[in-house]
Amino acid sequence: MSATPQKNRAARRVLAAAAGLATVGALFAAMPTATATEPGHGKGHGHGSHKPSTVDVQLLSFNDLHGNLEAPAGSAGTVTEKQADGTTKAIPAGGIEYLATSLRNARKGNPYSVTAAGGDMVGASPLLSGLFHDEPTIEALNKIDLDVTTVGNHEFDEGAVELARLQNGGCHPTEGCYEKGKKFKGADFPYLAANVTSEKTGKPILKPYTVWKKNGVKIGFIGVTLEGTPNIVTAEGVKGLKFHDEIETVNKYAKELERQGVKSIVALIHEGGSPASTAYNYDCDSPGAGDGISGPIAEIAKGITPKVDALVSGHTHQAYVCTIPDPSGNPRLVTSASSFGKLYTDTTLTYDRRTNDIVRTSVESANHIVSREQPKAADMTSLIGRWNKLAAPIANAPQGFISADINGRGATSPESPLGDVIADAQLTGMAPADKGGAQIAFMNPGGIRSDLVHKASGSEGDGVVTYGEAFTVQPFTNMMNAVDLTGAQLITALQQQVSGVNEASPKILQVSKGFTYTLDMTKTGAARVVTDSVKLDGTAIDPAKTYRVAMNEFLAGGGDGFPALGEGKNKLVGPSDLDLFNAYLAANSTAQAPLAPPAADRITILK
């Protein structure tokens, strides 16, 4: 489920207009890199002159919104709930209209309430936000009183200059202002990037931390993204930047905060894990064999100084509220609230006024569903309507027809029906001799951002795929590449799906029609790929032979842990992935003969 970023075509325009990172320095010059005080948007009231010795601070958090202002469609818009009888139920959830209502209701009766996010608020966004370089999402987050967020890897999809604009405001450098007479104001909450520094200055490109203050209560927030961000973002997006170790960075700034008298500290970490159950209400601390959480956040949590009182995480799009021992052996809370605004976490931090620290033994937390059965927030409905009106001429254009849901993000198997469709679309577009001569196409799974849903999202009618829906599936607008790879390099690339940086969390490439092989998941590492099973149109791949392979520029650059794919020769650049996807839908479906979900039977998996 991990979000794998790539680049929006606009990144080229932004970077071309930016004249290098010197501009970044100028943009960030006005931004302090030390602490800043955030008043908490004036929520609630104090307790009067007789202050109790402890105060309950409510920490509301969420992560991986990815610009999903409208309620996500299909399986991408549900959360799994475990029932009393042990069965599970899919509950529709999410949408900024409902998230705003949930957060506002949760704050009632909590005079000390702070709202924080775990990164990837923007990037890989549906058309409603992505078409406008995520300005609508920043506006919405301002309105729901977000106090602070860390950067995630997707905040770098369009580069550091564009990230600076999202923080500071100003209209887009090439596309200008989207609404007449309105200038984009930027985020009124700080984006934190403690472990992202400029190669030129060595200093963080954004504030490393911030301190939330109210009536003498002080809580420090440190924000980091995963150190491996450069591996999952195109080179242009992270040009001139260095990404540092999460543990070392958080520990460094926790010391700095303590020197300033801030002893209550929360780390916002855009890195996550996978709980033993996908149910949002799973008891992560249950003692059964195989229970609990695995993945990078489990190891990071064990290394972060006990000075930090709680960790808000993200990136894996999972839901969990777990306790993981800190280096002193004391339990400490680690949370994540799924993705797309479908859940929020409500954590109670008991603040001791005498010690200015959190009473760790009193910390309580739970994830809550952002139900679509509650009233919509009127200001969010208005915001969505305003931007939808601007997007409508592009968003509503029909591209093709489907006979049923074609699952991508919501697929339960590593090979998804939508992954097959996308790979076929890329092969079809790049196969002609003058277009690249491709014989095989590969698509990275994280680049497939949603499902194609049969039910109409608007007035287009059931089964109609609109441009907006196609964009939601493939929002990065990556240019396609066709390259020469040897059979040996192809097999190595398949092995890299399940070994090296991808061994713990395999990234199974989606493959085009005619390309087949077997994965034996009972084995470990590269041995999981049964090499003599790798075939093209029934003929074994010859290690010494050269093949033409189509893929997006992110994969062709070796992204997502596939250095073998970055070794391609004789590159030909084709149209964008989205253009090929839409062209394929148009050529292979009609209202009378809609496209049916493929069988997803190209990769045989042994368990």
Side-chain angles (χ1 to χ4, degrees):
M1 292 293 290
S2 146
T4 306
Q6 304 155 330
K7 176 181 52 186
N8 191 301
R9 180 186 292 166
R12 290 185 194 77
R13 298 195 294 267
V14 174
L15 287 159
L21 271 170
T23 315
V24 182
L27 279 167
F28 284 118
M31 298 178 58
T33 54
T35 55
T37 59
E38 297 299 320
H41 300 287
K43 302 179 198 109
H45 304 281
H47 286 295
S49 55
H50 300 290
K51 292 179 179 174
S53 59
T54 61
V55 171
D56 280 347
V57 178
Q58 178 189 56
L59 171 62
L60 300 176
S61 56
F62 58 98
N63 50 277
D64 295 276
L65 180 65
H66 291 289
N68 278 263
L69 301 180
E70 295 177 295
S75 58
T78 64
V79 292
T80 302
E81 182 178 70
K82 186 178 179 183
Q83 307 297 298
D85 63 0
T87 61
T88 59
K89 183 179 176 183
I91 310 271
I96 201 75
E97 294 162 296
Y98 303 108
L99 179 61
T101 298
S102 289
L103 294 175
R104 288 163 182 170
N105 285 338
R107 290 174 188 141
K108 289 175 182 174
N110 290 283
Y112 292 83
S113 184
V114 56
T115 303
D120 277 6
M121 294 295 97
V122 300
S125 305
L127 188 77
L128 176 61
S129 188
L131 187 63
F132 306 107
H133 297 275
D134 284 310
E135 289 181 21
T137 296
I138 298 296
E139 182 187 343
L141 293 172
N142 287 344
K143 286 179 182 289
I144 65 170
D145 289 344
L146 182 63
D147 288 296
V148 57
T149 184
T150 184
V151 293
N153 48 281
H154 276 279
E155 266 80 16
F156 295 94
D157 282 354
E158 293 191 37
V161 174
E162 176 64 0
L163 174 57
R165 187 182 76 88
L166 290 181
Q167 176 74 86
N168 296 337
C171 295
H172 193 272
T174 58
E175 296 180 22
C177 302
Y178 294 112
E179 295 181 289
K180 193 174 180 180
K182 282 189 181 179
K183 182 182 174 185
F184 175 57
K185 293 178 180 176
D188 65 10
F189 51 88
Y191 258 113
L192 304 181
N195 68 329
V196 187
T197 59
S198 161
E199 285 181 349
K200 284 185 178 176
T201 67
K203 293 180 179 178
I205 63 163
L206 289 164
K207 288 185 288 192
Y209 57 84
T210 191
V211 181
W212 179 87
K213 296 179 181 179
K214 183 163 185 182
N215 297 339
V217 173
K218 292 187 290 187
I219 297 180
F221 289 88
I222 303 166
V224 295
T225 186
L226 68 154
E227 185 183 8
T229 291
N231 301 326
I232 52 175
V233 175
T234 46
E236 289 90 341
V238 294
K239 193 175 181 181
L241 304 177
K242 287 190 77 172
F243 291 76
H244 303 271
D245 181 85
E246 304 94 338
I247 296 172
E248 289 174 10
T249 303
V250 172
N251 290 353
K252 169 187 169 182
Y253 286 110
K255 278 184 186 173
E256 190 168 315
L257 281 167
E258 191 175 58
R259 281 197 296 270
Q260 296 176 15
V262 179
K263 295 182 180 177
S264 299
I265 301 171
V266 175
L268 308 175
I269 302 176
H270 191 72
E271 178 61 289
S274 298
S277 166
T278 57
Y280 85 94
N281 53 344
Y282 161 66
D283 180 4
C284 192
D285 296 329
S286 50
D291 276 330
I293 186 171
S294 58
I297 197 65
E299 297 310 308
I300 290 170
K302 290 171 188 171
I304 284 181
T305 172
K307 298 179 196 303
V308 173
D309 298 295
L311 281 65
V312 172
S313 67
H315 187 55
T316 54
H317 291 203
Q318 301 293 309
Y320 48 83
V321 174
C322 305
T323 52
I324 299 175
D326 68 16
S328 299
N330 296 317
R332 178 169 56 193
L333 202 68
V334 181
T335 70
S336 174
S338 184
S339 63
F340 302 167
K342 293 180 289 190
L343 297 176
Y344 72 93
T345 314
D346 190 338
T347 303
T348 301
L349 302 171
T350 301
Y351 183 94
D352 190 328
R353 288 187 179 277
R354 292 164 299 190
T355 63
N356 296 326
D357 207 348
I358 299 300
V359 183
R360 203 81 87 66
T361 52
S362 301
V363 174
E364 294 178 355
S365 185
N367 275 326
H368 300 276
I369 292 182
V370 175
S371 166
R372 295 186 200 163
E373 294 179 358
Q374 63 186 322
K376 296 178 179 181
D379 58 337
M380 293 297 148
T381 305
S382 172
L383 181 149
I384 288 170
R386 218 179 73 236
W387 287 101
N388 259 335
K389 193 173 178 182
L390 287 174
I394 296 170
N396 296 339
Q399 304 299 308
F401 303 86
I402 56 174
S403 64
D405 288 1
I406 303 181
N407 284 341
R409 200 77 181 171
T412 54
S413 56
E415 179 189 353
S416 71
L418 188 50
D420 286 0
V421 171
I422 290 170
D424 288 352
Q426 295 180 351
L427 179 61
T428 301
M430 301 293 284
D434 61 337
K435 305 290 186 193
Q439 301 162 274
I440 303 162
F442 289 145
M443 175 63 193
N444 56 311
I448 304 168
R449 303 305 301 180
S450 68
D451 306 330
L452 276 185
V453 178
H454 185 262
K455 184 176 172 59
S457 59
S459 60
E460 74 276 11
D462 290 352
V464 178
V465 180
T466 65
Y467 184 90
E469 290 164 343
F471 184 98
T472 298
V473 168
Q474 293 228 270
F476 301 107
T477 323
N478 273 304
M479 305 312 288
M480 290 300 301
N481 289 181
V483 298
D484 286 347
L485 288 169
T486 65
Q489 287 170 320
L490 280 179
I491 290 167
T492 299
L494 295 180
Q495 292 170 333
Q496 287 168 350
Q497 301 175 110
V498 289
S499 63
V501 296
N502 291 330
E503 180 160 7
S505 182
K507 287 192 174 79
I508 306 304
L509 296 166
Q510 308 299 286
V511 299
S512 54
K513 193 173 184 179
F515 189 84
T516 56
Y517 70 98
T518 298
L519 267 179
D520 185 351
M521 297 307 284
T522 65
K523 297 188 172 159
T524 58
R528 289 169 165 172
V529 175
V530 181
T531 52
D532 60 6
S533 73
V534 185
K535 296 177 181 178
L536 178 60
D537 297 325
T539 302
I541 291 290
D542 181 347
K545 189 178 171 184
T546 295
Y547 298 84
R548 288 293 281 171
V549 183
M551 65 193 105
N552 62 48
E553 60 189 320
F554 172 66
L555 277 179
D560 252 2
F562 290 100
L565 296 181
E567 295 168 4
K569 302 276 198 308
N570 299 320
K571 179 170 75 173
L572 184 142
V573 178
S576 75
D577 50 9
L578 180 60
D579 286 346
L580 290 188
F581 184 46
N582 284 329
Y584 184 83
L585 290 171
N588 291 277
S589 68
T590 64
Q592 293 72 36
L595 185 69
D601 57 0
R602 300 165 189 180
I603 305 171
T604 302
I605 296 180
L606 307 177
K607 294 181 181 178

